[in-house]
Amino acid sequence: MTRKVINTENAPAPVGPYNQAIAASGQFVFVAGQIAIDPRLGDVVYTDDVKKQTEQVLANLQAILTAAGATFQDVVKTTVFLADMNDFAAVNAVYAKYFPEDTAPARACVQVSRLPKDVLVEIDAIAVISG
């Protein structure tokens, strides 16, 4: 896979651990939105802790990426859905551990009125791997 970070001064700079765009070629992997369900328990965990929910969400994403033969480094786009935009900084702090700013994927982050099972955060991803 070829992966190139796209940044231009002619558009707003990122306000967190993501890049304006990623140019990529290879096999696409579209990962469905993941929420804080522990696969061993089959239930939502950390119902009142957005940081811990984000850790579980990213662990779930990592497991799916691994099964597809990909890593976080192969991710070119994510969407973060928050139940409360006031959690933006807390989620960013966890997210940045998995996606360093210099190679982070493009990203959108939105607040929604409700998420499945009333979780606090959901994240989906698109990865591109060599075919």
Side-chain angles (χ1 to χ4, degrees):
M1 172 189 81
T2 60
R3 184 181 193 279
K4 179 181 176 187
V5 173
I6 307 296
N7 278 315
T8 177
E9 293 178 5
N10 296 323
V15 294
Y18 63 94
N19 281 295
Q20 291 170 324
I22 302 292
S25 65
Q27 180 180 353
F28 285 85
V29 177
F30 296 88
V31 182
Q34 296 300 301
I35 60 175
I37 292 179
D38 183 323
R40 295 167 296 161
L41 303 174
D43 206 359
V44 173
V45 291
Y46 313 117
T47 56
D48 294 328
D49 189 327
V50 73
K51 285 185 178 182
K52 287 183 179 179
Q53 278 201 1
T54 304
E55 290 280 0
Q56 182 64 57
V57 167
L58 290 165
N60 294 347
L61 280 172
Q62 185 172 32
I64 294 165
L65 290 168
T66 299
T71 68
F72 283 119
Q73 192 66 22
D74 299 313
V75 174
V76 296
K77 173 75 168 72
T78 63
T79 306
V80 178
F81 302 93
L82 298 175
D84 184 347
M85 193 57 79
N86 290 319
D87 291 333
F88 183 81
V91 170
N92 258 353
V94 175
Y95 185 95
K97 292 191 257 181
Y98 296 83
F99 297 107
E101 284 190 41
D102 58 335
T103 60
R107 183 183 79 182
C109 181
V110 296
Q111 178 176 318
V112 296
S113 63
R114 191 170 179 201
L115 289 165
K117 298 190 177 279
D118 294 315
V119 296
L120 305 173
V121 60
E122 178 176 354
I123 303 173
D124 69 15
I126 300 170
V128 181
I129 56 177
S130 298

